[in-house]
Amino acid sequence: MRFTVSAPHDTPRLLVLAVDDEPPGLAQLRHCLEANPHIGEVLPAVDASEALRLLGSDDERIRVRKQRGLPPVDAVFADINMPGLSGMEMSRVIASFNPAPVLVFVTGHATEAVEAFDLGAVDYVLKPARQERIDKAVSRVLEKIEAASGYRRSAEPARGRDDDEVIPVELAGTTKLIPRSSVRWVEAQGDYARLFTTEGSHLVRIPLAQLEERWAKAGFVRIHRSFLVSLPLVTELRMGQGGYQVVIGNEEKVLPVSRRHTRELKDKLVGSSRMG
């Protein structure tokens, strides 16, 4: 299924930076970005050092954005394995900007996916770059910008399973991509989170608060300081010995609901049932 985007007249046109040391890869990335209706202009850089020089330059487009309190560019689409300064090292510098551009990695290797998401990247695209995959990454960039600025597009593109976020997890030295749609609930474990799916559980180095923010539009709700659940899978809200509890699915998995989250959860369950 091809992921398509539409560009209503009030949609912002993004200024993005494309970084790749391989000319064919950079050309393909620029082509896909420029073909997306949400992209206004693409600034190319042949390596990380040139990218950082450009972001810190007196280029009029960048200078005006900084004067307005904006990041130098809206987003950076970067390769990871580059000579000299790597894409990861460059991204650590960019992530320290205030405000910082949105990060997207476009690379031929999946092994760095976990570290990429640790840096706050909104997407991780494998080469060769395909138009529908870049379109999806641009959509996630827009969602990140919207969340930070309060801007909302007047016409959202139709979404289906192709827009299902994937979460990289390390398993015995390999990286496995877990689709968000397979996650039933999430439990906080310090600075980590454990994702519970129908097939088992996976520990990821992502704070629960970050997942709560990223997955709110996908129907995940906070029910406790330690738990995030997929609202459509909640089959029952009941009073237990220590307070309210929810039942997940048909497997009678019971999770506690804290007092501060009870009212919000009830409202969302009622709203969900009315929409259904």
Side-chain angles (χ1 to χ4, degrees):
M1 181 184 297
R2 176 177 170 79
F3 183 88
T4 58
V5 290
S6 58
H9 68 277
D10 62 342
T11 298
R13 304 270 289 178
L14 305 181
L15 176 66
V16 302
L17 176 63
V19 191
D20 196 326
D21 66 299
E22 298 178 349
L26 182 58
Q28 177 66 11
L29 177 58
R30 287 189 66 182
H31 173 76
C32 291
L33 287 169
E34 290 171 348
N36 184 286
H38 295 297
I39 302 299
E41 187 173 0
V42 180
L43 305 179
V46 297
D47 58 30
S49 297
E50 181 182 358
L52 292 177
R53 284 196 299 270
L54 182 59
L55 294 177
S57 72
D58 289 329
D59 180 283
E60 183 178 1
R61 294 159 296 187
I62 292 176
R63 178 174 54 81
V64 170
R65 290 177 59 87
K66 291 179 179 178
Q67 290 174 348
R68 295 170 57 192
L70 299 172
V73 295
D74 291 299
V76 176
F77 287 71
D79 191 10
I80 291 179
N81 295 312
M82 295 184 287
L85 195 68
S86 73
M88 284 294 182
E89 292 167 332
M90 176 195 72
S91 297
R92 290 190 186 93
V93 177
I94 292 176
S96 69
F97 290 5
N98 186 21
V102 182
L103 289 172
V104 175
F105 287 106
V106 184
T107 180
H109 306 278
T111 54
E112 299 96 343
V114 173
E115 186 177 359
F117 281 95
D118 285 345
L119 286 172
V122 298
D123 209 345
Y124 190 95
V125 181
L126 291 177
K127 292 182 178 181
R130 305 188 319 275
Q131 188 64 56
E132 57 267 29
R133 191 63 186 84
I134 293 297
D135 286 347
K136 186 190 298 185
V138 171
S139 182
R140 288 175 177 165
V141 168
L142 285 167
E143 289 179 353
K144 180 75 171 182
I145 294 173
E146 291 167 3
S149 67
Y151 174 83
R152 289 293 180 269
R153 279 171 280 170
S154 59
E156 289 289 340
R159 295 179 186 177
R161 292 188 60 85
D162 276 359
D163 197 39
D164 192 11
E165 181 180 345
V166 294
I167 307 91
V169 298
E170 293 284 357
L171 291 172
T174 63
T175 301
K176 182 177 181 181
L177 300 179
I178 304 299
R180 181 185 59 203
S181 59
S182 70
V183 179
R184 303 171 68 76
W185 75 90
V186 186
E187 181 178 0
Q189 296 189 358
D191 292 333
Y192 290 71
R194 183 168 292 279
L195 312 178
F196 289 85
T197 70
T198 54
E199 299 178 351
S201 67
H202 309 278
L203 191 65
V204 295
R205 193 164 52 185
I206 305 175
L208 191 66
Q210 184 177 335
L211 287 179
E212 178 185 8
E213 178 183 351
R214 280 167 50 178
W215 291 2
K217 292 182 180 179
F220 281 80
V221 296
R222 191 76 168 262
I223 62 168
H224 188 276
R225 63 190 176 98
S226 298
F227 292 102
L228 186 69
V229 302
S230 176
L231 188 65
L233 297 181
V234 174
T235 56
E236 185 178 345
L237 173 66
R238 66 191 185 195
M239 177 63 74
Q241 292 183 347
Y244 276 100
Q245 302 169 330
V246 294
V247 179
I248 306 297
N250 297 321
E251 57 195 43
E252 288 293 318
K253 176 62 183 180
V254 178
L255 298 175
V257 179
S258 66
R259 183 175 301 175
R260 60 174 296 207
H261 290 101
T262 299
R263 171 50 57 190
E264 181 182 5
L265 177 60
K266 286 182 177 179
D267 291 343
K268 288 184 176 180
L269 286 171
V270 171
S272 177
S273 64
R274 287 175 178 169
M275 290 179 63

